[in-house]
């Protein structure tokens, strides 16, 4: 695993294009001044030792050495030894409804997009807790198994869409059963399911699944999205209609969600215009009993900055040795001139 111990030094790379722009401006300014003095070709003959190409090469070498120096200062490291450690935390399975009803726009820009934003923000604040992600509609699927890698979890959340589950519906029971079976270890209140949905269950007995989860020591917190009055569902630029041609209105079923949470000792939160309710749930989870969770981490890291530092020093030495003018001594050994002379004699 590659990491940088001091990544803040990468901000120094912003100086590279600035220095390159300053050099380019200086070259243009010098060319304009020479053009005022006379014809550039005539002036080049009067200055046979001048070599703009060599000056440019020296600048390129200097800038490349600065880039390598920035990488050296950032201290690249490679993990060299794995260690199994124990941490205290809670395992959280987030079950997110991706059915078409989550496309209703009673939450801007939609229930689903609002959920994704709230989940990503909560994941940024998690520390020792481990998290997994389940998406469900008519079926339920594990999108991300339990992990301590919250950055990866945020990436998975950002990819959630309503077309991830082809079978439509809202199988709350299947989502709860799958979440209950997806925990790695733990006991008591160390295993938590956060169910985010509009609560319109059309497929199974969600309350029975919640009671089974409670028997396994799993606590379920539910978040209700939407309003009891409901909102139409827009799909591909048109509203979804039923068999009679009437526009389908998705309504929040709070009673089901309250019953699920109550059966497991959890809590129900109704999402509001300002807050989805996740922050309140996470605060309550943090007050629950923590459990020791096994995690594999890198215990030691090998420093690799010396390779970049050596490369920077080599480039600086080359830049120092490389003259900005043509070397008259070396010009005596122009092998191309000798080759041209031999060719002329043959002719």
């Amino acid at each position: 695993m590659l990491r940088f111990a001091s990544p803040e030094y990468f901000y120094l790379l912003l100086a590279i294009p600035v220095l390159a722009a300053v050099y380019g401006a200086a070259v243009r300014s010098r060319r304009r001044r020479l053009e005022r003095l006379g014809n550039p070709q005539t002036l080049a003959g009067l200055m046979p030792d001048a070599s703009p190409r060599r000056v440019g090469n020296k600048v390129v070498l200097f800038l490349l050495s600065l880039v390598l120096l920035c990488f050296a200062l950032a201290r690249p490291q490679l993990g060299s030894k794995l260690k199994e450690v124990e941490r205290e935390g809670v395992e959280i399975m987030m079950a997110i409804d991706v059915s078409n009803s989550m496309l209703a726009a009673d939450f801007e820009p939609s229930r689903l997009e609002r959920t994704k934003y709230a989940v990503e923000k909560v994941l940024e604040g998690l520390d020792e807790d481990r998290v997994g992600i389940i998406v469900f509609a008519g079926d339920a699927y594990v999108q991300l198994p339990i992990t301590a890698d919250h950055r990866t979890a945020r990436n998975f959340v950002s990819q959630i869409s309503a077309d991830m589950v082809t079978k439509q519906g809202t199988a709350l029971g299947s989502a709860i059963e799958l979440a209950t079976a997806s925990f790695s270890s733990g006991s008591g209140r160390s295993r938590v399911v956060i169910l985010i949905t509009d609560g319109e269950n059309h497929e199974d007995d969600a309350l029975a699944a919640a009671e089974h989860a409670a028997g396994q020591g799993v606590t379920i917190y539910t978040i209700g999205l939407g309003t009891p009055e409901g909102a139409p569902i827009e799909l591909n630029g048109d509203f979804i209609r039923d068999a009679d041609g009437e526009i389908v209105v998705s309504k929040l079923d709070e009673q089901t969600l309250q019953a699920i949470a109550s059966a497991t000792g959890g809590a129900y939160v109704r999402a509001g215009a300002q807050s989805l309710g996740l922050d309140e749930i996470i605060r309550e989870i943090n007050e629950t009993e923590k459990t020791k969770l096994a995690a594999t981490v890198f215990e030691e890291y090998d420093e690799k900055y010396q390779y970049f530092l050596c490369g920077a020093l080599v480039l600086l030495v080359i830049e120092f040795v490389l003259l900005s003018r043509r070397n008259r001594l070396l010009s005596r050994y122009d092998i191309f001139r000798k080759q041209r002379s031999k060719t002329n004699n043959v002719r």
Side-chain angles (χ1 to χ4, degrees):
M1 177 181 178
L2 177 65
R3 75 166 192 174
F4 292 91
S6 304
E8 61 273 10
Y9 284 102
F10 281 128
Y11 287 112
L12 295 177
L13 292 174
L14 297 175
I16 303 300
V18 175
L19 293 176
V22 170
Y23 170 71
V27 170
R28 290 190 295 272
S29 176
R30 179 178 181 275
R31 185 182 299 117
R32 286 194 295 268
R33 290 198 302 270
L34 289 176
E35 288 175 352
R36 295 195 198 100
L37 296 176
N39 187 288
Q41 295 181 348
T42 303
L43 293 175
L46 297 175
M47 299 182 294
D49 294 336
S51 178
R53 180 178 298 179
R54 284 174 174 258
V55 175
N57 290 339
K58 286 173 65 68
V59 172
V60 170
L61 289 172
F62 178 74
L63 293 180
L64 288 177
S65 67
L66 290 183
V67 171
L68 293 179
L69 184 59
C70 289
F71 274 85
L73 290 173
R75 291 179 58 198
Q77 299 174 331
L78 283 177
S80 60
K81 184 178 180 181
L82 289 173
K83 180 183 179 181
E84 195 80 13
V85 297
E86 285 189 345
R87 296 175 174 175
E88 287 191 345
V90 177
E91 289 192 345
I92 303 173
M93 287 299 301
M94 291 193 178
I96 301 174
D97 188 350
V98 295
S99 61
N100 285 338
S101 61
M102 292 291 285
L103 298 177
D106 46 0
F107 282 79
E108 295 281 342
S110 70
R111 296 174 182 176
L112 183 56
E113 290 302 319
R114 181 71 177 278
T115 298
K116 289 166 58 177
Y117 174 78
V119 171
E120 289 183 43
K121 296 298 290 183
V122 164
L123 290 175
E124 290 178 0
L126 294 182
D127 187 13
E128 302 295 339
D129 299 326
R130 302 174 68 181
V131 65
I133 299 170
I134 287 175
V135 294
F136 69 94
D139 288 321
Y141 300 96
V142 175
Q143 189 192 25
L144 179 68
I146 287 287
T147 179
D149 189 348
H150 299 151
R151 178 178 298 178
T152 298
R154 291 199 301 271
N155 290 336
F156 273 86
V157 170
S158 66
Q159 299 170 18
I160 292 177
S161 64
D163 57 4
M164 298 186 72
V165 182
T166 56
K167 182 180 178 181
Q168 280 304 307
T170 309
L172 296 181
S174 296
I176 294 171
E177 291 174 357
L178 182 59
T180 302
S182 298
F183 292 105
S184 60
S185 63
S187 61
R189 295 174 61 85
S190 63
R191 296 181 292 175
V192 173
V193 175
I194 300 179
L195 186 65
I196 307 175
T197 178
D198 54 23
E200 287 190 320
N201 186 56
H202 305 293
E203 307 296 328
D204 46 25
D205 190 347
L207 187 56
E211 292 172 349
H212 172 73
Q216 301 296 315
V218 175
T219 305
I220 301 177
Y221 293 85
T222 56
I223 296 178
L225 282 164
T227 60
E229 298 78 20
I233 305 167
E234 186 175 353
L235 185 63
N236 298 326
D238 195 9
F239 291 111
I240 296 178
R241 299 176 183 271
D242 59 19
D244 298 326
E246 299 293 330
I247 295 178
V248 174
V249 177
S250 174
K251 299 180 180 181
L252 174 62
D253 182 1
E254 291 189 290
Q255 291 184 349
T256 299
L257 297 180
Q258 289 171 345
I260 290 173
S262 178
T264 62
Y268 164 73
V269 175
R270 179 177 172 181
Q274 302 299 324
S275 173
L276 197 71
L278 264 176
D279 292 331
E280 293 86 341
I281 289 178
I282 293 298
R283 280 196 295 269
E284 186 167 340
I285 290 174
N286 288 334
E287 296 174 359
T288 64
E289 179 184 352
K290 300 288 186 178
T291 261
K292 290 184 177 180
L293 305 174
T296 301
V297 298
F298 287 102
E299 183 183 30
E300 298 176 359
Y301 288 89
D302 285 336
E303 296 281 355
K304 300 297 180 183
Y305 72 89
Q306 58 269 21
Y307 297 104
F308 294 93
L309 183 60
C310 289
L313 292 176
V314 169
L315 292 180
L316 286 174
V317 169
I318 296 175
E319 188 274 336
F320 178 78
V321 173
L322 182 65
L323 300 177
S324 58
R325 296 179 175 273
R326 294 185 179 92
N327 193 312
R328 294 184 178 182
L329 179 62
L330 294 179
S331 64
R332 300 176 182 177
Y333 303 96
D334 189 347
I335 60 175
F336 298 104
R337 181 187 303 171
K338 293 181 180 180
Q339 186 67 30
R340 287 194 296 269
S341 300
K342 290 181 181 180
T343 303
N344 292 332
N345 291 336
V346 171
R347 290 180 181 177

